[in-house]
Amino acid sequence: MSEEHVHIVPYKTFLVIWLALLILTGITVAVAQFHFGAWNIWVALGIATLKSGLVVAVFMHMKYEDRLFRLALFSALAILAIFIGLTFVDVLYR
Amino acid sequence: MSGHIHKDYTGAKFGMWLFLFTEVLLFGGLFILYSVYLARYPKEFISAGKELNVWFGGGNTLVLLTSSLFVAVSITALRRGAKRLCLGLLGGTIACAAIFMINKYFEWSAKIHHGIYPGSPHMKEMMPGEVTFFNLYYLTTGLHGIHVVIGGLILTWAMILIKSGRVNADDWVILENAGLYWHLVDLIWIFIFPLYYLILH
């Protein structure tokens, strides 16, 4: 494949994603006003994960890259998850 | 090859992504510290988190999200040959970086004015979990702030290359990679904001 034909993302797509990010920021602030106990942190992390997914997929063009890029991304995230998981196995059951 | 220099865009972008993964692991370590201490001192984290100003954190979230939009659009603009629009958007991004740091300056000044900084007499009287929260707050937002400054410098460099025509509609990977770095700065903040500023507000 010629490098010249790499996907050019239209302006409108970026504007839609930006609006979605602003709305999600509003939701995360609004939700934080209610107290669900331990659930607050999970809701906040869920929305943050969704927001970062949008940034990575569209702003950072991950959606349009080779499969190799996604494979590398998921490997890195898996390493981070193992890192977090093993830390908590140690901390919680010490 | 018909005489022109071979460009490996996939390789260049992949290399940038590999670097970004190391950044994710670097900040990941700080988020692990946060989560371990949150599990140990939930009450203290909530009382300390209330000291942080949602308006500074929220305002800077909007600034970074908008700057990310500018960078993303600037790449499309450059590739469509709209050089002036591209330069304008990058100028806007760098302005956003400056606004972010000015906000940070006022935010930290207010905290320091209230005696909240690592090793301060006021912090020595706090509960251990609160001290941990503020130390992690300064470490994480400080490291992130350094990334904002570096990102601003990288984008300035990209702007100079675009102005001189060395980075152009046919050869744009430097802007692409500079943009990737800037988006990472935004990504880290997407997690810092709810964890530090919104914790049971």
Side-chain angles (χ1 to χ4, degrees):
Chain A
M1 193 180 84
S2 164
E3 295 281 7
E4 272 76 24
H5 293 111
V6 182
H7 194 81
I8 298 183
V9 188
Y11 298 141
K12 216 182 113 189
T13 311
F14 288 135
L15 273 175
V16 170
I17 295 298
W18 176 70
L19 278 175
L21 289 169
L22 292 188
I23 291 167
L24 286 169
T25 304
I27 292 174
T28 205
V29 174
V31 168
Q33 313 307 315
F34 300 97
H35 294 190
F36 309 120
W39 280 101
N40 277 72
I41 201 90
W42 294 110
V43 171
L45 281 177
I47 296 173
T49 305
L50 187 59
K51 283 169 77 181
S52 48
L54 291 176
V55 171
V56 170
V58 183
F59 281 1
M60 299 173 91
H61 307 148
M62 186 54 94
K63 199 177 145 191
Y64 313 100
E65 299 290 4
D66 280 356
R67 194 188 290 173
L68 174 70
F69 283 70
R70 280 187 288 282
L71 192 70
L73 175 66
F74 287 117
S75 310
L77 293 179
I79 289 167
L80 184 61
I82 292 167
F83 191 7
I84 294 171
L86 287 180
T87 307
F88 271 91
V89 167
D90 176 29
V91 169
L92 296 179
Y93 301 102
R94 200 177 288 187
Chain B
M1 299 309 297
S2 54
H4 68 278
I5 302 156
H6 175 68
K7 296 234 189 296
D8 179 8
Y9 273 26
T10 305
K13 281 191 280 185
F14 196 74
M16 190 64 198
W17 273 103
L18 286 179
F19 168 66
L20 294 187
F21 296 152
T22 69
E23 293 276 68
V24 168
L25 292 175
L26 169 67
F27 280 97
L30 293 176
F31 286 123
I32 288 172
L33 279 176
Y34 176 94
S35 55
V36 167
Y37 283 104
L38 174 68
R40 189 172 297 172
Y41 302 110
K43 286 199 188 84
E44 289 85 349
F45 264 48
I46 289 163
S47 61
K50 283 193 174 127
E51 296 282 322
L52 297 190
N53 189 324
V54 186
W55 292 102
F56 275 124
N60 267 347
T61 303
L62 299 186
V63 168
L64 279 193
L65 289 177
T66 306
S67 71
S68 250
L69 170 73
F70 288 168
V71 171
V73 174
S74 80
I75 296 172
T76 297
L78 182 69
R79 295 185 60 194
R80 285 182 176 170
K83 185 172 160 180
R84 281 193 57 189
L85 175 63
C86 170
L87 287 170
L89 287 162
L90 288 176
T93 311
I94 293 161
C96 285
I99 293 168
F100 183 94
M101 292 311 290
I102 291 166
N103 272 341
K104 185 107 284 171
Y105 168 76
F106 283 116
E107 187 193 349
W108 277 26
S109 300
K111 284 277 150 306
I112 292 165
H113 187 72
H114 287 115
I116 300 173
Y117 53 89
S120 73
H122 179 47
M123 267 181 64
K124 284 190 181 125
E125 292 161 10
M126 288 183 186
M127 287 184 281
E130 292 180 325
V131 175
T132 310
F133 180 88
F134 285 117
N135 284 339
L136 276 175
Y137 158 76
Y138 274 107
L139 183 60
T140 311
T141 61
L143 187 64
H144 178 265
I146 292 171
H147 280 75
V148 172
V149 173
I150 295 172
L153 292 175
I154 292 174
L155 288 170
T156 308
W157 173 63
M159 261 182 100
I160 293 168
L161 292 179
I162 292 164
K163 228 171 211 163
S164 72
R166 265 203 55 208
V167 172
N168 53 56
D170 298 317
D171 187 2
W172 38 268
V173 80
I174 288 178
L175 179 61
E176 171 92 26
N177 282 350
L180 285 177
Y181 186 88
W182 188 257
H183 293 307
L184 178 93
V185 170
D186 184 25
L187 276 182
I188 304 292
W189 189 260
I190 285 176
F191 284 91
I192 290 178
F193 173 56
L195 290 179
Y196 282 90
Y197 292 83
L198 291 178
I199 173 170
L200 282 191
H201 205 79

